[in-house]
Amino acid sequence: MTGAIDNPILNSPYEQPDRYYEIGPQGPTGEIKDGRRPSESFIPIAVTKKGKKGKDGSEQAVFDFDVTGERREKNSLINDIRRDVARWRRGSEYAGVTPITRKLLQHWADPDRENRVLFAQREAAETAIFLTEVAGRTHGYADWRKRLEPENEAHNAGLPRVALKMATGSGKTVVMAMLIAWQTLNKVQSPRDARFTNRFLIVAPGITIRDRLRVLLPEDTENYYDLRDLIPTDLKGGLEHARIVIMNYHAFQLKDAKEIKNVAKNTRLLLRGDRKDDPFKESPKAMVSRVLRDLGADKQQIIVLNDEAHHCYIDKPLPAGEKADKEQAAANEEARVWFKGLQAIAKHVGVKQIFDLSATPFYLKGSGYNEGHIFPWTVSDFSLMDAIESGIVKVPRTPVDDDAAHELVTYLRLWDFVGDALPKRAAKDKVKDWLPPPELEGALRSLHRSYEKAFKHWKAELEQHGETPPVFIVVCPNTVVSKLVYDWIAGEQIEVDGEVIAHKPGNLELLSNVEDGQSLARPRTILIDSAQLESGEGIKSDFKRVAGAEIASFKAEYRRRKPGADVDKITDEDLLREVMNTVGKKGKLGEPVRCVVSVSMLTEGWDANTVTHILGVRAFRSQLLCEQVVGRGLRRRSYAVNEQGYFEPEYANVYGIPFQFISSDKPIVDPLPPKPVQQVAAVEGREHLRIVFPKLTGYRVELPDEDIFLDLDSAPTFEIGPNTVPRWVEMQGVVGAGERERGEDRDYRTKEVAFALAKRILDTQYNTVDDKRPWLFPKLAQMCHDWIEQKVQLAKGYTLAYLMTITEAQAEAAEKVWDAIIQLADRRGRLRPMLNRFDPEGSTGEVDFPTRKRTVPTEKSEVSHVTLDGKDGNTWEQLLAAELELNKNVDAYVKNDHLGFTIPYVYKGRTHSYVPDFLVRLKRLEGEAFDRTLIVEVSGTHKSPGPTQAKATTARDSWCAAVNNHAGFGRWGYIEMTNPLEFKARLADAIQLVYGDAPIIGDPDLLDFDDHRSARGA
């Protein structure tokens, strides 16, 4: 980037954009070009600076346009139609249209209107009208429908679809109102004109949008025709002839007959017999009658308006070996329901035209098309960059640089750092004192510090005018993570024996629901599962359980606002939906909400315009998903123009969402045929070969309560520097002003930090509910002080604040002090495993994955194949697998691929996960009631260089010792194989050592059962 661009707004929101920022190979050049920005194949964001500096220190930032295998290309159909529409619009004569249409178009384009129509809205409506009334009918204008028809045959089974692409926040609902008015008023004027109709079906992706689209009903008190002055006064009476049905696509699902409800599945199958169709489910024709019953019996065709139309498509089979994940498969299934519903309507009633409206009319990954391939029936495009340069939306600012010692920008690619550390399923017991991964905590605190600035501005300038507070959004991958993040941010109830005894405040002060030890009556932070709320099928019990306190608070607030109302008649779903949909709305239930923690993505149509900060804590596998989530925060707060007639820029700071660009409508060259795929999975009937293993997050040492000593001579140094989470992060939009969040600026005294470490050691290593040992605190505090003075090494510019603001860093430091304390203790410690609270146990029965690696079939394994690492396989692993098949003492084995078995170890002060090669279960000795398992590492030529000694030592002396002391997973040992010529003998020796409880199973000084040896031999 050649220079900072302070104000990204170049154009009036009401006129065709005539200037734009040039984007070159290295991103925005800062140069302003004349004319309209061409519709192109990407969404540019700020370029990351890290790792891209030249030898002279200059920045060499480069845009990555290669994510989906193609470069920037212009969307040719859109640009060609746009030129014709611009020529047709010139002079506002609008040749070739009906008098009614011309009157509407001129009314919408009138520059003297008080309530002007945005150009983005005009252009979309004009394009739809142009294709219907002008293209191919008026001299000088090509028939673009001929370009659309083959695309609709290929992609839509002949359904007549036209897609209008408009950036989030640019007013798609207004465009729908314009199209309804245009069609209805023309039909009233010319009943026999087959181009027009007054029957409309509006399809939405969920209940929120469905309910919000009521503004398209002329009888609604807040209808857009009146509110936005869309119809000239002398034509308004004709609108009463419009017949409109608004529904969410779920209504297309075929319903069960009343008679079959609550009948058992087997009984239903028996009654069905050999019939291919299900007599107990409504037919597609009956579904169409149900959906359209409010349109009456008129025979004329209908117009369909698809809102958020990227959810409606036909997927095609994936290439051989590819498999859609669960999220992609669900999206494809929803798309089929929507599309088949439209097909049924076209068959039984007739569809004149389908207008698709979406900010992102692109195919999803897993749909069978290239991810981000634009729907080829898209005819107009007002892109995110157009919207930014016209000031219609906020400018998204993403992290572009920080001072962490790796090339990735930490808070841009957050999931890469925290994804593996977050739980995939709920813990068996209630989780207490959960610690976010350090990068996640750093991101939360950094974004909260930025939020504080927005909050102070609101408090000083906006609150007095009745404006609602700025809003912070967190998007999480599942209910488990969202609940943990919600409790960490907002605080939680402390329960003993099922009774609430206290309220613990949240970690982010402005977003905490607990203040002065009391739960706030009006929560600042809410937890929402928008996917469940949108389906209309109710909220699952697990979510109701975690959101119980929140629901109760809002019921109390509802009673206060409406004293005579019967709260019991309001469902929890209705209540939470009302709260979610009114965030940022004055006088509504959601008014005081400052933070929304969302399970999955916040619903489309969620129109809070007060969002200033967004944190993505999930995998973003598609650029479409990235833009959709970012789009939730782009609606403007103010639409007042300045003296030049332009909007002032507004910004939204975004962490954790690495969106880059969206693909074009150009055909994409098919890739080379992939290698054959082998499905590797647990084999039915081999359950007797199942190997069960524990999943550990770390280790702890148990000690008797004796005097404690500190040995710092052998303790490693603890570095605080660039290898920790960033001290600062720089945010930048593709254009516009940037912001640097400078991190924690408070200085902490050594004694203050030592006290915090001592308290953590006391709480984690000594204190229990019934056994408190406060007398140890002074000695621990002095030890921590000595450790900080002698062992903590601060890089230039870094402070001890890192140990006070990042909880996991504080926990790691406390562990280092504890390690030094126990080294001179006059009694033996006992190592104990720290099992994963959310996922404590794994097994070979869960393996199921496709691979293009070389494989070897198995007989002694529950898993069908051994996958061989390396480009051309791994001869050493293949040799070992053969030895395991032949060895008479081997009962079962498995290659550790997609098994989930890891060994946590520490290297250079950071925690890593070691994935050894094989697990080998031995045949039981006579009289033994437990299994013995050998972990085998093949250290061959395909291994990457790394901390191999730390891995092996931890695996043998810590992991095996801790798990063996646990006694719930049998007896374990560890061995490395380094010479294929010795595999057979080495394996035999290792097996005998495991049978004999030799040091192969862990450091004898840390084992519980060193005096209880089993018999040797097999």
Side-chain angles (χ1 to χ4, degrees), residues 170-188:
S170 58
K172 296 191 300 295
T173 309
V174 172
V175 173
M176 285 190 272
M178 295 164 80
L179 295 178
I180 290 171
W182 158 60
Q183 280 282 318
T184 302
L185 297 176
N186 272 291
K187 191 64 177 178
V188 171

Side-chain angles (χ1 to χ4, degrees), residues 148-161:
L148 290 171
E149 285 168 1
E151 299 292 0
N152 278 324
E153 285 296 331
H155 291 261
N156 294 314
L159 287 179
R161 298 181 72 178

Side-chain angles (χ1 to χ4, degrees), residues 229-500:
D229 185 25
L230 295 180
I231 302 175
T233 306
D234 59 329
L235 296 180
K236 283 187 177 180
L239 200 61
E240 65 186 24
H241 294 277
R243 282 179 282 173
I244 302 170
V245 167
I246 306 173
M247 53 166 276
N248 50 314
Y249 81 90
H250 306 82
F252 285 142
Q253 293 172 327
L254 303 182
K255 295 185 179 295
D256 284 338
K258 293 179 181 177
E259 295 80 12
I260 203 66
K261 288 187 176 178
N262 302 319
V263 173
K265 181 180 179 182
N266 289 339
T267 306
R268 181 171 180 156
L269 291 173
L270 186 65
L271 292 170
R272 179 174 175 177
D274 295 331
R275 293 182 58 168
K276 290 185 179 179
D277 62 319
D278 189 341
F280 306 111
K281 195 175 281 292
E282 71 179 340
S283 66
K285 186 174 182 180
M287 178 275 291
V288 171
S289 297
R290 167 173 55 81
V291 168
L292 300 182
R293 60 175 171 258
D294 290 342
L295 290 185
D298 196 327
K299 297 296 184 184
Q300 66 167 315
Q301 293 181 327
I302 67 173
I303 278 183
V304 176
L305 298 168
N306 282 335
D307 199 8
E308 307 297 350
H310 50 271
H311 291 293
C312 178
Y313 56 86
I314 309 177
D315 59 312
K316 66 178 184 179
L318 296 174
E322 286 190 29
K323 188 177 180 182
D325 63 26
K326 190 179 294 184
E327 190 173 344
Q328 293 160 2
N332 287 339
E333 179 56 36
E334 292 165 0
R336 284 184 215 116
V337 170
W338 193 328
F339 190 88
K340 287 179 179 177
L342 297 182
Q343 280 185 307
I345 289 171
K347 178 180 178 181
H348 297 292
V349 176
V351 169
K352 188 178 297 296
Q353 185 72 62
I354 299 173
F355 290 110
D356 293 332
L357 291 104
S358 172
T360 51
F362 307 106
Y363 279 112
L364 302 168
K365 186 174 183 180
S367 65
Y369 294 90
N370 287 67
E371 176 190 354
H373 182 66
I374 193 168
F375 287 170
W377 58 95
T378 306
V379 296
S380 73
D381 176 17
F382 200 85
S383 70
L384 179 59
M385 280 303 296
D386 289 326
I388 289 172
E389 289 162 345
S390 297
I392 294 172
V393 298
K394 291 173 182 164
V395 180
R397 288 193 292 214
T398 55
V400 295
D401 199 8
D402 61 38
D403 64 342
H406 44 69
E407 290 194 359
L408 291 180
V409 180
T410 310
Y411 298 153
L412 178 68
R413 303 302 300 260
L414 185 62
W415 188 255
D416 293 344
F417 294 90
V418 305
D420 291 339
L422 294 175
K424 310 298 186 293
R425 65 190 78 176
K428 292 182 179 179
D429 302 315
K430 183 176 173 60
V431 178
K432 297 179 180 178
D433 300 322
W434 176 71
L435 300 181
E439 294 83 5
L440 174 54
E441 182 174 359
L444 282 161
R445 292 191 184 278
S446 172
L447 209 52
H448 181 255
R449 286 191 291 268
S450 176
Y451 175 85
E452 286 175 335
K453 298 176 187 174
F455 187 85
K456 286 177 182 176
H457 172 72
W458 168 76
K459 201 77 177 166
E461 305 290 339
L462 303 176
E463 186 184 24
Q464 58 189 314
H465 301 294
E467 296 286 341
T468 56
V471 174
F472 186 126
I473 300 175
V474 186
V475 180
C476 298
N478 56 50
T479 305
V480 180
V481 173
S482 65
K483 173 60 174 169
L484 293 172
V485 171
Y486 170 75
D487 286 345
W488 191 88
I489 291 174
E492 57 186 313
Q493 297 175 339
I494 307 299
E495 296 182 8
V496 175
D497 298 329
E499 182 181 347
V500 178

Side-chain angles (χ1 to χ4, degrees), residues 720-894:
I720 298 177
N723 64 329
T724 60
V725 298
R727 288 178 302 170
W728 53 260
V729 57
E730 184 176 334
M731 291 169 280
Q732 183 71 53
V734 64
V735 289
E739 177 183 327
R740 176 171 285 206
E741 196 287 292
R742 299 185 180 278
E744 178 70 52
D745 58 0
R746 180 187 160 190
D747 288 331
Y748 289 90
R749 293 175 293 113
T750 302
K751 182 175 287 187
E752 191 176 0
V753 180
F755 274 35
L757 294 180
K759 182 180 184 303
R760 179 168 289 277
I761 293 172
L762 197 63
D763 289 342
T764 57
Q765 304 294 345
Y766 290 106
N767 288 348
T768 64
V769 174
D770 302 317
D771 183 17
K772 306 290 184 183
R773 307 183 189 185
W775 58 86
L776 290 176
F777 183 80
K779 191 164 189 175
L780 286 171
Q782 184 58 49
M783 289 178 171
C784 292
H785 188 279
D786 295 344
W787 178 81
I788 293 171
E789 290 287 321
Q790 298 181 44
K791 290 299 178 181
V792 173
Q793 188 172 344
L794 296 173
K796 185 177 180 181
Y798 287 80
T799 71
L800 293 176
Y802 175 61
L803 298 180
M804 297 297 285
T805 58
I806 301 298
T807 312
E808 187 167 302
Q810 189 181 100
E812 184 183 353
E815 288 176 8
K816 296 299 182 188
V817 179
W818 180 245
D819 288 345
I821 289 173
I822 65 174
Q823 287 180 0
L824 284 181
D826 58 357
R827 72 279 186 222
R828 280 179 40 185
R830 291 291 182 265
L831 208 59
R832 297 284 182 259
M834 296 169 63
L835 295 175
N836 188 316
R837 290 182 286 184
F838 305 96
D839 193 13
E841 183 179 288
S843 83
T844 50
E846 301 170 8
V847 175
D848 187 0
F849 66 95
T851 183
R852 288 194 170 93
K853 294 180 181 179
R854 283 189 57 201
T855 61
V856 178
T858 65
E859 292 183 13
K860 278 190 177 181
S861 177
E862 184 181 15
V863 177
S864 58
H865 295 76
V866 168
T867 55
L868 304 176
D869 296 327
K871 182 179 178 183
D872 300 310
N874 188 314
T875 308
W876 289 21
E877 291 178 350
Q878 189 171 354
L879 287 172
L880 181 60
E883 289 294 339
L884 295 172
E885 290 281 357
L886 295 172
N887 192 295
K888 62 184 178 65
N889 288 324
V890 173
D891 197 33
Y893 74 99
V894 66

